[in-house]
Amino acid sequence: MLVSNAISIPIDSALFTVIAFGWAIPGRRLWQIFIFNVIIKFTVTLVSLPLIYIYPDPDWSQLHDQ
């Protein structure tokens, strides 16, 4: 998850910032929006990472028995 997000978060944030605001906001503000997005998304990633390992994996083999 960390490797995937380390690649996808900056790409996603850059695309979102440019597409959503690129035509209306000066470059310095775009850069601030981009950095803020990356920081928030990485923070959410780091907070949610332990929660992924706390929740047990479901037993998918029992799904077909119902």
Side-chain angles (χ1 to χ4, degrees), residues 6-31:
I7 295 167
S8 65
I9 286 174
I11 293 170
D12 175 67
S13 296
L15 287 172
F16 170 75
T17 303
V18 171
I19 292 170
F21 304 112
W23 58 275
I25 297 177
R28 182 171 182 186
R29 294 288 174 157
L30 288 175
W31 184 247

Side-chain angles (χ1 to χ4, degrees), residues 1-15 34 38 41-42 45:
M1 182 171 127
L2 286 177
V3 174
S4 172
N5 283 3
I7 295 167
S8 65
I9 286 174
I11 293 170
D12 175 67
S13 296
L15 287 172
F34 168 77
V38 169
K41 289 176 184 178
F42 271 124
T45 296

Side-chain angles (χ1 to χ4, degrees), residues 1-2 5-6 9 39-50 52:
M1 182 171 127
L2 286 177
N5 283 3
I9 286 174
I39 290 170
I40 295 298
K41 289 176 184 178
F42 271 124
T43 301
V44 170
T45 296
L46 292 176
V47 168
S48 66
L49 185 65
I52 293 170

